[in-house]
Amino acid sequence: MPRSTASARLAKYGSMRDFSRTAEPSGAHAATRPGRIFVVQEHAASHLHYDFRLELDGVLLSWAVPKGPSLSPTVRRLAARVEDHPLDYANFEGVIPQGQYGAGTVLVWDRGTWQPEDDPHAALAKGRLTFTLHGQKLHGRWHLVRTRSARGAENWLLSKGRDAAANTRIDITAARPESVMSGRTIDEIAAGPHRVFRGECSS
Ligand code: MN
């Protein structure tokens, strides 16, 4: 998909942020890379949540998951669809300053690639997306199912598929709290140094 389309998709993201105040990427330098990336970012904002992002059409489709992912196939986690983010947001870890949108600490909790089981555009339109994650903490089959939309907000449910990577005993967010990018905990990132840590991926 052309860059211009990705830029149009990021208009809402850009309108919500002041890039002279926050170190979050502006999306002006859209990266291209093989395969589709996924990232889960723990975000200690006014309410702690995990941002679940899937690359499609040059942007990161994004859902805010208050309780984070569960490896148990019987657990469905609320995932509120939020604005598309630029691809290089997948490398963002650090502190969003007070007064800025989403002020708080961001930790790259998991990252890797994803594969949709069927045509992802049709699946998203239908509200039933089944996919495989190849991450460091999350693996195997997952589902995102849309439940309802109200006033432009879309609620989806994130759940683990039944496969060898499912696990009903481990609380994965508690068992593996560390950043896959820096090894730091959310408190270590919040404590500073207050600079953005950028990993090996850059555009
Ligand atoms: Mn967030």
Side-chain angles (χ1 to χ4, degrees), residues 93-149:
E93 180 169 283
V95 175
I96 301 171
Q98 288 304 314
Q100 297 304 298
Y101 182 77
T105 309
V106 176
L107 173 153
V108 177
W109 185 80
D110 198 14
R111 198 167 55 178
T113 60
W114 75 284
Q115 290 173 294
E117 209 152 270
D118 301 298
D119 172 53
H121 298 97
L124 283 163
K126 200 167 66 176
R128 292 189 76 88
L129 183 65
T130 297
F131 51 96
T132 300
L133 295 180
H134 306 280
Q136 296 184 41
K137 299 174 185 174
L138 302 183
H139 309 275
R141 210 160 170 247
W142 291 78
H143 305 286
L144 267 169
V145 177
R146 188 169 55 221
T147 58
R148 61 191 168 83
S149 302

Side-chain angles (χ1 to χ4, degrees), residues 43-57:
H43 186 182
S46 51
H47 298 281
L48 178 75
H49 59 274
Y50 291 76
D51 289 300
F52 188 87
R53 311 188 199 278
L54 300 174
E55 176 186 357
L56 191 70
D57 300 333

